[in-house]
Amino acid sequence: MYKIYSIKRSNLSKNQIRSICSLKDTFWKYGIKSQLAWFKKYVYPNDINNLIYHDDKIIGYTLLRKLKVRLRDQNKSKTISYFWFDTLILKKEYRDRNLSKKLMLLNSRMIKKHKYISFLFCKKKLINFYKKNYWYIFDKKKMINKYKKNYNLLIFNKRVLKNYGFTYKRLKIKFL
């Protein structure tokens, strides 16, 4: 039986953090010490950690980091909070079981619940996966600060932009 949870960073136990970092290190092999240091430095108390458990072990993980972005169009500019979709990892032996889809549904619900937009960078080979989960390619030419040249920028929940008086087509962004 699989269990899926959303937990703020401030509510994670030390064991959960260590398990998350161990899982991440199966793909991004920097060592547990480095993973823990990164987690401590970059994951803030209100960031959302989405976890899939099987037999009381974390087998899947995503991270929604609450950050700020400056939106700009022809007439105005505004700074808003958004979720940076930072990590998606599932243990190899649990792939092809639709678990990543369940994890993506949880992410979608959390993003919509907070009425945020969300951004992520991904490689070209992953674009179709994210498109199936209602992410849209964002034109990197509309980014005021450029980085991650070999990656694609995607956006989720873009209809929230209307709440701030912006349209997706004229929008320019600056990550803060």
Side-chain angles (χ1 to χ4, degrees):
M1 186 69 166
Y2 302 105
K3 296 177 185 171
I4 301 177
Y5 299 99
S6 280
I7 306 172
K8 285 186 178 183
R9 160 66 173 93
S10 59
N11 296 327
L12 288 172
S13 71
K14 287 182 180 180
N15 284 340
Q16 287 173 311
I17 293 169
R18 188 160 187 78
S19 294
I20 289 166
C21 292
S22 294
L23 176 61
K24 287 180 66 183
D25 201 58
T26 63
F27 187 79
W28 297 283
K29 298 185 183 292
Y30 296 108
I32 297 299
K33 200 173 185 180
S34 176
Q35 295 285 358
L36 288 166
W38 184 93
F39 196 92
K40 184 178 180 180
K41 183 176 181 179
Y42 292 107
V43 183
Y44 299 121
N46 287 322
D47 291 348
I48 298 172
N49 298 265
N50 295 315
L51 308 164
I52 297 181
Y53 282 85
H54 184 252
D55 295 332
D56 296 324
K57 292 185 182 179
I58 296 173
I59 61 159
Y61 174 72
T62 60
L63 173 60
L64 296 174
R65 294 172 56 204
K66 185 178 176 183
L67 300 171
K68 299 277 186 187
V69 66
R70 167 127 345 245
L71 304 177
R72 193 173 86 196
D73 69 8
Q74 297 162 339
N75 304 329
K76 64 182 161 215
S77 156
K78 185 169 188 153
T79 300
I80 66 165
S81 294
Y82 76 99
F83 281 127
W84 182 257
F85 185 98
D86 192 280
T87 303
L88 169 60
I89 188 162
L90 193 60
K91 274 191 172 181
K92 279 187 180 181
E93 59 267 29
Y94 292 94
R95 294 179 187 165
D96 298 324
R97 297 184 190 189
N98 272 342
L99 294 173
S100 58
K101 183 174 181 161
K102 289 180 182 186
L103 202 47
M104 290 303 292
L105 283 170
L106 178 58
N107 285 297
S108 299
R109 282 197 306 270
M110 295 307 295
I111 294 165
K112 288 177 180 178
K113 175 183 172 184
H114 286 85
K115 298 180 181 167
Y116 283 1
I117 55 174
S118 185
F119 292 100
L120 68 82
F121 277 116
C122 73
K123 294 183 179 179
K124 188 176 183 176
K125 67 182 181 179
L126 294 173
I127 289 175
N128 285 336
F129 169 77
Y130 288 110
K131 279 184 168 183
K132 287 177 189 174
N133 289 284
Y134 306 103
W135 288 77
Y136 297 89
I137 295 174
F138 190 87
D139 185 356
K140 284 200 299 186
K141 293 176 193 162
K142 295 180 175 188
M143 287 177 57
I144 295 167
N145 50 340
K146 308 255 189 242
Y147 55 96
K148 297 262 187 186
K149 291 181 182 176
N150 296 328
Y151 287 77
N152 297 280
L153 178 63
L154 281 76
I155 185 173
F156 178 81
N157 206 22
K158 64 183 181 177
R159 70 174 175 253
V160 169
L161 295 170
K162 290 179 185 175
N163 297 345
Y164 298 103
F166 292 99
T167 61
Y168 173 71
K169 292 185 180 189
R170 293 189 317 217
L171 184 68
K172 290 192 181 253
I173 61 170
K174 180 178 184 180
F175 293 109
L176 306 176

